Amino acid sequence: MTYQSNIRRTSNYKSIAKNSRVLSANPYDLVAVLFAELRENLDLMVESARRNDNARMFEFRAKALGILNGLDESLNFEAAGELAQTLHTIYREAARRIQAEIGASFIERAESAREMLHEIEKAWLAIAPGVARV
């Protein structure tokens, strides 16, 4: 078996596991899955930027921004009020940092966005009932 087929098979297993988790998720778990996916894509984006692999970096950045947009759009301003507004502001700032122009400070900005969002993820996991802890 070749190295590439092992990678493909591992990727398929991860995809199946992820899809199963999403299909059986309650709303709390679904947000946790989104945060985990966001963190993974941000990690891969930063790693790709460090290797000067701009094609992969842009791919992971687009995925991360899509997830971040989904989290932002799911905010319920009527029910959560000030908390929703605060999260909206944080998500918008994180997106701004992620979309920063590629250059000397890009990795620093992307890492700062990743840290901001990871703090929210940890808080979510601390309050969400029955969610797997990161």
Side-chain angles (χ1 to χ4, degrees):
M1 185 171 310
T2 67
Y3 178 72
Q4 286 298 326
S5 65
N6 284 339
I7 290 173
R8 235 179 280 122
R9 187 169 30 192
T10 301
S11 178
N12 287 340
Y13 288 140
K14 286 180 181 180
S15 180
I16 290 167
K18 193 180 307 177
N19 288 340
S20 296
R21 187 172 175 205
V22 168
L23 290 174
S24 66
N26 64 46
Y28 289 105
D29 290 334
L30 194 51
V31 171
V33 168
L34 289 173
F35 275 122
E37 282 293 306
L38 178 58
R39 182 174 22 88
E40 180 179 340
N41 278 284
L42 290 172
D43 288 346
L44 292 168
M45 181 188 77
V46 168
E47 181 181 312
S48 297
R50 282 194 176 111
R51 290 190 323 261
N52 292 317
D53 185 351
N54 286 345
R56 300 282 290 168
M57 189 278 304
F58 284 118
E59 175 188 341
F60 295 124
R61 178 163 82 171
K63 288 178 183 180
L65 289 169
I67 295 166
L68 191 55
N69 188 51
L71 287 167
D72 189 45
E73 288 179 357
S74 72
L75 294 172
N76 184 336
F77 290 91
E78 290 180 24
E82 189 177 322
L83 175 59
Q85 185 58 50
T86 300
L87 288 171
H88 174 70
T89 301
I90 292 169
Y91 293 160
R92 199 170 50 213
E93 175 60 20
R96 187 185 69 75
R97 292 178 188 192
I98 293 166
Q99 292 172 333
E101 189 172 322
I102 306 303
S105 64
F106 173 75
I107 292 174
E108 290 174 18
R109 288 182 184 173
E111 287 177 331
S112 68
R114 182 179 58 189
E115 290 305 312
M116 288 175 15
L117 295 166
H118 188 61
E119 289 302 314
I120 295 170
E121 178 186 14
K122 289 189 300 189
W124 180 258
L125 293 175
I127 63 168
V131 176
R133 302 294 181 235
V134 175

